[in-house]
Amino acid sequence: MCGIIGYLGQKEAYPVLLAGLERLEYRGYDSAGICTAHHGTLHLHKKKGRVENLKSITLPGTIGIAHTRWSTHGSPADKNAHPFLDQSKQFSIVHNGIIENYLELKEELRKEGVAFTSDTDSEVIVHLLAKYYHGNLQEAVLNTVKRLMGAYAFCVLKSGNQEIIAARNGSPLVVGLNGGENFIASDVSALIEHTRRVIYVDDFRLVKVTRQGVELSDFQGRPLPPSIKEVNWNIEQAQKQGYKHFMLKEIFEQPQVVEDSLRLNLSLRKDFSRLLIVACGTASYAGLVGKYLIEKIAKIPVAVEIASEFRYKEPLFSRDDLILAISQSGETADTLAAVRLARQQGAKTLGMINVVDSTIAREVDDIIYTRAGLEIGVASTKAFIAQLVTLYKIAYALAGQEFSGEGLVEKVQQTLSLNSQLKDLAKKYFAYQNFLYIGRNINYPLALEGALKLKEISYIHAEAYPAGELKHGPLALVSEETPTLAICPQDSVYEKTFSNIQEVKARNGKVIAVATQGDERIKGISDDVIYLPSVKEVFYPLLAAIPLQLFAYHIADVKGCDIDRPRNLAKAVTVE
Ligand code: M6R
C-alpha cells in the first residue's frame, strides 16, 4: 500500500526521488520521506502529509531511497514516516508491507538496548540490519529477512556504500535500468519517466542495485539471472494531459479502452464445469456483471466470491472449477491469497489482470491481460470498462458466438457527451448526505459500482440494492432527504424497475433515472433523467457505468474533495 523508490546515478537523487514519489503517491499519502547518502553521511527529511511537503528543501547526494506511506501500524505522524535510521545513523530503510512478528522482534531489540522512535512495524528492520551487519550489507539483509514474518518489499541504504539492497516477499518490487543510473521501486509508474527497461522482482529475492547494474539472488544468497523486460507504457499515460484529475482523464479514455479491448484475441478452453470469480471492490462488481453475462449467454454456472471472504471461509470448489481472479493492479493481497489457495488445492486459475507481470499475473496458470493501460486514479474507471468488455468477449467465446463489438465504441463516445449534464446534476445534488442506488438483473452490479464510486471519492453515504429488494427494508430509508439513482434502461425488466421507481416517488423520494434515449414515460415520474443511447440489453452496464462515474466525479469536485487521492484509501491494496 505504501510506495518505495530508490535511485543511484549521476544526477542529484533528491529531485529524482521526489518526482518518483509523486507518481507513487496514489499508493498512500499519509506521510513521505527521503534519505540520501553523501560523503559518508545519511541525510534525512520526512514529514506527515503529502509528498509536496518535502519540496521546501533538498538533500545532497546522487544515491537515495524514499517512501510515501499508507498507515497500518502507527498514526500518520512525522515520527512514523519512513525512511527509518538505526541508532548509529549508518543504515536507512523504507518498507512496504506488514511485519507480522514486529512486537516480538521489538521486545528482543529493546532488551538489547535499542530505543525505538516510532510506533511502526517497519522500524524493526533497520535495527535488525544494524545488529547483523559485520562488514557485508548483503549478508546483513539475508540474516534480517530470516527473522521477518509477513509481507514486505524494502530498500536499504548504508552510509558510504554505493549500492541499494532490496528484498521482496509478498509486496511488489521492480528494478529500472538506464545505463549509468538505476532504480528500484514499488511499481513501474515511478520509473517510466526515465526508462522502460525493467526487471520484475519475484518473492524471496534479494537485489543489489549499483550504478553498473543489478545482481539478483535468492534468500540463501545463490545468484540468479535477471530477466529484463520492456514496458509498453509511456510517460504520457502517467500525466494528466490537461485534465483536472487523472480520474476524469481516465473516464474520457474509455472509448479507446473499449476499442483496444475489443481487439483482444481470446483462445479459451471450455474444459471446466463452473467458473468461480474471485476479486475485490470494483473488480468484484465487474465479476458480478460477468456472472449475469456468462450464465445468460454461455449457459455456464458462475459464482462470484469476494476474495477476502473466499480465503477464510473454507470455500468449496473442485478441480472441475476454473478460478478466475479479476484485478486491475494484480497486487491485491486478498485476491492473490485466493489464487494461491485455489492452486494449493489443485484448481486451475485464470487471471484477468491489467498490470503486466504483476504478482497475480505471474502466479496464475493462464492470463488474460485487460487493455486499460496505466490507471492512476484511486477510483477505478477505465479498468472496470476493460474488465466488462473482456467479460463480454469471454461470454461470447464460451458460447461459440461471434461478438463484433456492436458499435460500442461510438456509443461509449456518445455517452461521454453527458458530461455537462452530470456536472449540472452534481451542483443540484452534492449536498445530500445519503443516496440509494438501484438496478435489476445485469444492472444491479452497476448500482453497486455507482454507489462505491460516490462513497470513495465524495465521502457521501450510498447504498446499492437490487431494485426488487427495496420493499424488504431499504424503502424505510426513502424520504425527500435521500435521493435514489435508478438504473432503468428499456430492457426485459424495465416494467419491474419502473414500478420500483414509482414506489420511491410515492414516498416523496427524489429519483434520478438512468434510462434509454427516447423514453418519455420515465421522464414523467423522475426528477431527472440521464439518457443512454439504445443498445442490446446486455450492453447497458457498459454505458451506464459512464454517467455513474461522472456523477460521483462532479459531486466530489463540487465538494472540493481530493479526487485522485481519496482519504484513507490507496490504489493497490497489498495488505490484508
Ligand atoms: O487492483 P484491484 O482491481 O485488485 O483492486 C480491487 C479494489 O481494491 C479496487 O477496485 C477498489 O475497490 C477501487 N478503489 C474502486 O474504485
Side-chain angles (χ1 to χ4, degrees):
M1 302 280 279
C2 304
I4 61 178
I5 176 168
Y7 168 81
L8 72 175
Q10 315 307 324
K11 299 180 194 134
E12 281 299 298
Y14 196 87
V16 174
L17 293 169
L18 203 57
L21 281 186
E22 282 181 326
R23 297 216 191 286
L24 286 175
E25 210 177 11
Y26 72 94
R27 300 178 67 91
Y29 25 85
D30 289 332
S31 64
I34 296 179
C35 181
T36 59
H38 188 58
H39 290 162
T41 308
L42 294 181
H43 300 264
L44 178 67
H45 184 45
K46 54 184 188 175
K47 280 253 158 278
K48 178 184 167 177
R50 299 284 154 91
V51 172
E52 66 181 15
N53 295 344
L54 303 179
K55 284 185 176 165
S56 55
I57 68 156
T58 189
L59 298 174
T62 55
I63 174 169
I65 56 175
H67 187 271
T68 179
R69 178 169 187 246
W70 186 84
S71 315
T72 57
H73 297 64
S75 61
D78 284 356
K79 69 170 183 177
N80 293 327
H82 299 218
F84 291 108
L85 300 187
D86 75 308
Q87 299 192 110
S88 69
K89 300 201 179 349
Q90 278 190 75
F91 303 93
S92 172
I93 66 108
V94 288
H95 165 230
N96 170 27
I98 292 178
I99 304 302
E100 285 165 6
N101 60 335
Y102 81 103
L103 283 175
E104 181 189 317
L105 293 169
K106 216 167 171 176
E107 195 45 40
E108 170 188 319
L109 290 159
R110 259 199 197 117
K111 281 188 188 143
E112 292 167 7
V114 172
F116 281 80
T117 58
S118 79
D119 306 323
T120 67
D121 54 327
S122 311
E123 195 186 343
V124 295
I125 301 173
V126 78
H127 298 302
L128 283 174
L129 274 167
K131 171 174 167 169
Y132 292 125
Y133 182 75
H134 305 292
N136 182 326
L137 187 57
Q138 201 155 336
E139 236 173 67
V141 176
L142 286 174
N143 285 321
T144 298
V145 296
K146 282 188 192 133
R147 304 293 316 280
L148 303 178
M149 285 167 63
Y152 51 81
F154 66 83
C155 296
V156 183
L157 184 64
K158 183 181 175 305
S159 59
N161 287 24
Q162 295 305 308
E163 63 185 353
I164 295 170
I165 306 235
R168 171 187 165 145
N169 172 20
S171 301
L173 202 57
V174 59
V175 174
L177 303 167
N178 193 27
E181 60 173 9
N182 294 314
F183 303 79
I184 183 139
S186 296
D187 68 44
V188 168
S189 62
L191 324 170
I192 197 76
E193 192 174 340
H194 307 278
T195 181
R196 288 162 77 168
R197 292 178 67 231
V198 302
I199 299 165
Y200 295 101
V201 180
D202 285 327
D203 276 347
F204 311 114
R205 296 289 181 263
L206 194 132
V207 198
K208 176 177 165 181
V209 188
T210 61
R211 288 184 183 81
Q212 288 70 44
V214 173
E215 288 170 27
L216 204 66
S217 66
D218 63 16
F219 278 3
Q220 278 69 49
R222 290 178 295 233
L224 294 162
S227 146
I228 301 174
K229 304 216 166 162
E230 189 87 11
V231 176
N232 60 359
W233 293 345
N234 55 39
I235 182 67
E236 286 75 39
Q237 285 179 287
Q239 290 167 337
K240 284 192 218 152
Q241 295 182 298
Y243 285 92
K244 189 168 176 191
H245 297 98
F246 278 110
M247 183 181 175
L248 191 62
K249 173 183 172 242
E250 288 161 3
I251 290 172
F252 274 85
E253 282 169 352
Q254 292 180 124
Q256 189 59 53
V257 169
V258 173
E259 195 175 330
D260 294 344
S261 307
L262 284 170
R263 278 202 223 104
L264 200 69
N265 242 332
L266 283 184
S267 64
L268 278 178
R269 282 188 309 275
K270 201 177 150 187
D271 53 359
F272 54 92
S273 53
R274 183 178 71 139
L275 190 65
L276 176 47
I277 297 178
V278 289
C280 299
T282 287
S284 76
Y285 300 148
L288 211 47
V289 175
K291 174 181 166 64
Y292 281 90
L293 269 179
I294 295 166
E295 290 188 346
K296 185 180 168 79
I297 298 171
K299 307 292 177 214
I300 294 173
V302 181
V304 182
E305 300 254 16
I306 299 292
S308 55
E309 289 296 311
F310 177 84
R311 62 185 294 195
Y312 292 119
K313 75 185 253 293
E314 299 184 19
L316 287 179
F317 55 91
S318 76
R319 284 163 190 249
D320 291 338
D321 290 333
L322 175 64
I323 313 297
L324 171 64
I326 306 182
S327 173
Q328 188 287 126
S329 61
E331 301 293 347
T332 299
D334 288 318
T335 311
L336 175 61
V339 165
R340 286 179 175 165
L341 180 71
R343 293 197 75 197
Q344 266 163 26
Q345 297 188 15
K348 271 252 174 225
T349 54
L350 170 66
M352 186 193 290
I353 307 293
N354 196 44
V355 177
V356 175
D357 277 319
S358 52
T359 309
I360 300 176
R362 284 182 285 142
E363 292 205 10
V364 284
D365 299 300
D366 285 302
I367 179 80
I368 299 173
Y369 282 118
T370 49
R371 298 196 172 173
L374 176 62
E375 187 180 69
I376 291 183
V378 167
S380 188
T381 53
K382 62 174 180 166
F384 178 69
I385 291 292
Q387 286 157 358
L388 291 192
V389 178
T390 309
L391 286 161
Y392 287 120
K393 295 214 76 153
I394 291 177
Y396 282 101
L398 289 174
Q401 290 177 29
E402 191 63 22
F403 170 47
S404 58
E406 323 261 343
L408 288 174
V409 178
E410 295 71 30
K411 303 243 160 136
V412 166
Q413 187 70 58
Q414 227 176 304
T415 310
L416 281 171
S417 64
L418 291 168
N419 188 37
S420 57
Q421 184 194 356
L422 268 312
K423 207 169 175 175
D424 292 342
L425 285 178
K427 287 179 200 141
K428 182 168 167 188
Y429 286 99
F430 78 96
Y432 287 93
Q433 302 291 306
N434 299 288
F435 277 81
L436 282 173
Y437 279 63
I438 57 169
R440 270 179 189 265
N441 205 280
I442 200 164
N443 289 306
Y444 161 54
L446 263 289
L448 291 164
E449 172 60 3
L452 176 63
K453 290 287 92 88
L454 191 69
K455 279 182 272 207
E456 69 179 327
I457 59 168
S458 76
Y459 318 141
I460 293 173
H461 173 236
E463 287 204 52
Y465 286 95
E469 274 290 296
L470 273 189
K471 55 189 173 295
H472 298 291
L475 208 50
L477 294 172
V478 169
S479 74
E480 274 186 27
E481 300 309 313
T482 305
T484 298
L485 196 144
I487 308 165
C488 185
Q490 279 171 331
D491 58 10
S492 54
V493 287
Y494 173 77
E495 290 300 338
K496 303 286 171 205
T497 318
F498 193 91
S499 300
N500 300 129
I501 293 178
Q502 281 178 316
E503 288 158 14
V504 171
K505 286 308 301 173
R507 285 151 183 92
N508 288 330
K510 292 204 161 32
V511 170
I512 308 162
V514 177
T516 304
Q517 188 68 50
D519 182 356
E520 289 299 317
R521 200 170 144 224
I522 208 159
K523 210 175 190 173
I525 59 160
S526 308
D527 296 84
D528 290 286
V529 185
I530 301 160
Y531 282 121
L532 302 177
S534 170
V535 278
K536 207 161 131 186
E537 173 158 353
V538 288
F539 297 123
Y540 275 114
L542 194 71
L543 302 188
I546 294 167
L548 301 183
Q549 294 164 349
L550 287 169
F551 187 61
Y553 172 81
H554 287 299
I555 286 195
D557 196 31
V558 175
K559 290 183 73 178
C561 298
D562 194 345
I563 292 178
D564 287 331
R565 289 166 298 190
R567 71 184 179 207
N568 307 338
L569 299 179
K571 182 72 180 159
V573 186
T574 54
V575 294
E576 279 187 49

